[in-house]
Amino acid sequence: MYQFDQELSALIFSMISKIEIALRVRLVEALLIHGDPLILQDSSIFKEKKMYWQNMSTIASEIARSNDVFIKHNFDNHEGEVPVWAVVEVLSFGTLSKKMFSSWVQAVSVLRNMCAHNSRIYNRTIHTTPEILNADKVTPGCLILCPDWLRVLRRAREW
């Protein structure tokens, strides 16, 4: 049973890693629609200012604790201004799921962390429940409930 659970965990983690990369890419693409790599520093494009500043606080702390070469490069050569693609790269998947994405991504994040930390997967109850969308109710019982996930998975396989 242990071997089965380890293999199941590795398989799930492999797929979730592809989803994570695809979500990061889509987030950067969505933010770059404005054409400004420093768009996250412009609070005027965000409707909810309080949430914006809460997110910026989290983002700032994740950038500050990063030892990545590309973050150091921006501090040394660009007066500490970090472009959106570098910001998204240093954010943890947990931060992305809690701050920026839907309950579906939060649920995937919990499962990802269980896999990453060698927790048992098989025959386990996960208490993070994704929100059931109207589109999901059309095909009850389907393993993949959200049509958007299919598109994300297809794009991830193309890499």
Side-chain angles (χ1 to χ4, degrees), residues 15-83:
M15 292 306 297
I16 289 175
S17 295
K18 292 174 183 173
I19 292 170
E20 178 180 353
I21 292 167
L23 289 171
R24 288 178 189 275
V25 168
R26 300 297 172 249
L27 176 59
V28 169
E29 288 174 346
L31 290 169
L32 284 177
I33 198 164
H34 298 281
D36 181 6
L38 301 175
I39 193 67
L40 291 177
Q41 296 177 14
D42 182 5
S43 67
S44 68
I45 68 159
F46 298 92
K47 289 181 183 177
E48 296 184 37
K49 302 301 185 208
K50 183 176 181 178
M51 183 185 296
Y52 167 78
W53 288 110
Q54 288 171 338
N55 287 342
M56 286 309 293
S57 172
T58 302
I59 289 169
S61 68
E62 294 211 23
I63 289 172
R65 74 179 178 147
S66 174
N67 293 322
D68 288 307
V69 173
F70 55 90
I71 296 296
K72 183 176 179 349
H73 168 80
N74 284 283
F75 283 141
D76 294 346
N77 301 307
H78 301 287
E79 299 178 3
E81 294 189 343
V82 183

Side-chain angles (χ1 to χ4, degrees), residues 71-156:
I71 296 296
K72 183 176 179 349
H73 168 80
N74 284 283
F75 283 141
D76 294 346
N77 301 307
H78 301 287
E79 299 178 3
E81 294 189 343
V82 183
V84 66
W85 53 84
V87 171
V88 171
E89 181 70 21
V90 298
L91 294 178
S92 70
F93 193 53
T95 296
L96 287 172
S97 70
K98 289 175 194 160
K99 299 289 184 184
M100 300 178 185
F101 290 122
S102 72
S103 63
W104 280 94
V105 179
Q106 291 174 20
V108 169
S109 177
V110 169
L111 184 57
R112 176 203 177 276
N113 288 340
M114 289 171 62
C115 292
H117 297 288
N118 298 313
S119 296
R120 184 174 52 82
I121 303 296
Y122 178 71
N123 199 24
R124 181 171 185 164
T125 302
I126 300 173
H127 298 286
T128 303
T129 307
E131 176 186 353
I132 302 298
L133 306 171
N134 286 334
D136 299 334
K137 295 175 185 173
V138 175
T139 54
C142 181
L143 182 59
I144 299 175
L145 297 175
C146 183
D148 290 336
W149 282 100
L150 288 173
R151 285 190 288 268
V152 169
L153 287 172
R154 279 190 213 114
R155 288 179 185 150

